[in-house]
Amino acid sequence: MKPRILSGMRSTGKLHLGNFHGALENWIKLQNEYDCFFFVADWHSLTTDYANTANLKLFAEEMLIDWLACGIDPKKATLFIQSWILEHAELHLLLSMMTPISWLERVPSYKDIKAELSDRDLSTYGFLGYPMLQTADIVIYDAKKVPVGEDQIAHIELSREVVRRFNFLYKGEILIEPQPLLTKTPKVPGLDRRKMSKSYNNCIYISDTKEEVHKKIMPAVTDPSRKRRTDPGNPDVCIIHDYHRIYSPPEVVEWSVQGCRTAAIGCVDCKKKLLEYMDIFWEPVRERRRELAKSPKKVWEIAKEGTEDAKKTAKATMERVREAMKLRY
Ligand code: TRP
Ligand code: SF4
């Protein structure tokens, strides 16, 4: 038996290259070593986007298509939809009974995201409870490890505290304390070198066509002090160099660095070369994406089957929880 890991992604729109290299790429590797549960955290997207739910289904579908096109394999991993497993909500409720509000208020992302999204009213019960719901997601599957990014460490820490409190109150090893599974991932800045984010309008999406990617890369700002073709440039301040390091083989990176510093190549040459390697990487994904997008029914079928499987574990855990809390009558 392989150890179980679990991770989810909020469904707030199509995935970009930052999401891919920051999480999805790692999930794809982990599929072979672990019993993986990956889910669409659609309830979590409501914690910030509760006022606009029109696209929930579309976002879930697009995310599933992105996952599958990139190489998440439903034969290896269990894929499911959070809101289809009502047991998450029951466990969230029960855990909320014993979780001090101060534990939730001190999670750094609470204040950070509230400040970041200051145009929305996030002084809600649901948003405060974000890591509480995340705890329910994790412990309901007895997941020992949770692949997440740095920003989520505090959430897993809260989960551990809640589990300890639960096990202390109800006297037993009823729930399992999860551990974060941190993996080094490459930083993928947006086209303007800020963090890649929808709100900055600087994203390259997995679903972008080849032409769309070319249209984004070709006009991108490079080293701003390289005004003329004959001026030498500095790759260290250039987004094209950041991307070369992700997609191009070492000798091509070397070629671009040397060429840039000596003005032997122009930015157009450098960008065209990058696009060759980005296309080699992304064209097969785009091809699979196009196929999947033709039959969304099949995609939802995969989610349905995965959800049925996941539900079995969630139900068994809830039996244990109700038993421990003397809630079975
Ligand atoms: N909070 C996670 C994120 O924003 C998404 C998430 C929800 C999650 N529930 C989870 C991740 C459970 C891991 C485990 O990326
Ligand atoms: Fe950037 Fe390449 Fe132009 Fe140098 S040559 S500034 S690395 S695009």
Side-chain angles (χ1 to χ4, degrees):
M1 277 275 280
K2 294 176 187 169
R4 172 158 315 145
I5 62 171
L6 167 133
S7 200
M9 267 187 216
R10 289 154 44 86
S11 43
T12 52
K14 44 195 182 177
L15 299 181
H16 53 60
L17 305 193
N19 301 130
F20 175 80
H21 294 290
L24 196 51
E25 192 173 28
N26 188 35
W27 289 12
I28 291 158
K29 285 191 203 123
L30 293 169
Q31 295 182 111
N32 301 314
E33 299 156 49
Y34 291 94
D35 173 22
C36 293
F37 277 50
F38 298 134
F39 70 98
V40 177
D42 52 350
W43 275 338
H44 270 106
S45 49
L46 290 178
T47 61
T48 51
D49 295 21
Y50 58 86
N52 181 9
T53 59
N55 292 324
L56 270 180
K57 182 178 179 191
L58 178 71
F59 288 168
E61 183 176 298
E62 291 209 313
M63 196 157 84
L64 286 166
I65 292 177
D66 281 337
W67 289 2
L68 295 166
C70 288
I72 295 285
D73 181 350
K75 288 196 206 73
K76 294 181 188 161
T78 305
L79 308 183
F80 65 95
I81 311 281
Q82 182 186 36
S83 69
W84 288 357
I85 304 189
L86 302 178
E87 283 77 5
H88 288 229
E90 183 186 355
L91 186 55
H92 169 258
L93 175 85
L94 295 176
L95 296 177
S96 77
M97 300 301 170
M98 71 205 64
T99 303
I101 294 174
S102 60
W103 289 12
L104 293 165
E105 282 171 337
R106 71 170 189 233
V107 173
S109 60
Y110 179 60
K111 284 197 193 82
D112 294 352
I113 298 179
K114 236 171 136 173
E116 210 174 291
L117 303 177
S118 56
D119 56 321
R120 300 179 214 179
D121 183 0
L122 293 184
S123 53
T124 56
Y125 184 45
F127 183 63
L128 179 65
Y130 186 114
M132 189 82 269
L133 180 58
Q134 185 164 352
T135 301
D137 297 337
I138 298 166
V139 303
I140 208 165
Y141 298 106
D142 294 331
K144 292 196 181 59
K145 297 213 166 135
V146 186
V148 285
E150 293 271 1
D151 60 317
Q152 299 285 311
I153 299 291
H155 291 180
I156 311 298
E157 200 42 57
L158 175 101
S159 301
R160 294 164 61 78
E161 283 178 298
V162 172
V163 166
R164 287 199 287 270
R165 188 159 164 99
F166 184 96
N167 289 343
F168 167 76
L169 287 169
Y170 305 111
K171 300 181 185 62
E173 289 293 304
I174 305 139
L175 301 175
I176 293 176
E177 268 184 56
Q179 304 262 8
L181 182 66
L182 257 187
T183 338
K184 263 220 130 338
T185 55
K187 275 254 169 305
V188 190
L191 288 155
D192 56 3
R193 291 197 96 215
R194 289 188 292 173
K195 184 180 177 244
M196 194 178 277
S197 160
K198 228 186 316 174
S199 45
Y200 292 154
N201 194 23
N202 62 0
C203 296
I204 299 175
Y205 294 100
I206 294 173
S207 53
D208 281 348
T209 62
K210 182 171 162 173
E211 291 70 29
E212 281 166 330
V213 174
H214 287 229
K215 272 199 198 124
K216 288 179 181 182
I217 293 286
M218 290 315 290
V221 173
T222 60
D223 173 359
S225 58
R226 192 173 186 203
K227 295 206 173 58
R228 268 155 303 188
R229 166 69 182 74
T230 48
D231 296 338
N234 176 10
D236 296 335
V237 300
C238 177
I239 187 64
I240 303 303
H241 176 64
D242 297 332
Y243 292 167
H244 263 304
R245 292 218 333 228
I246 296 170
Y247 294 107
S248 302
E251 64 278 11
V252 173
V253 178
E254 193 48 33
W255 164 86
S256 72
V257 168
Q258 289 307 322
C260 179
R261 291 197 193 285
T262 58
I265 62 167
C267 293
V268 171
D269 309 316
C270 191
K271 287 171 166 174
K272 281 190 176 152
K273 192 52 104 184
L274 167 69
L275 283 167
E276 274 176 40
Y277 289 99
M278 285 187 82
D279 288 341
I280 290 172
F281 190 94
W282 287 108
E283 269 301 292
V285 174
R286 290 185 196 122
E287 180 57 41
R288 282 196 296 274
R289 213 186 177 287
R290 274 194 294 276
E291 282 308 307
L292 288 158
K294 277 188 215 154
S295 40
K297 260 214 181 102
K298 267 194 219 151
V299 173
W300 284 109
E301 206 47 54
I302 290 169
K304 241 180 238 154
E305 281 172 24
T307 303
E308 285 313 312
D309 279 346
K311 211 179 255 176
K312 289 178 201 142
T313 311
K315 283 196 154 139
T317 307
M318 286 318 294
E319 282 298 309
R320 228 162 65 217
V321 166
R322 293 183 205 118
E323 180 76 41
M325 290 181 75
K326 309 282 188 278
L327 269 167
R328 291 185 68 189
Y329 35 77

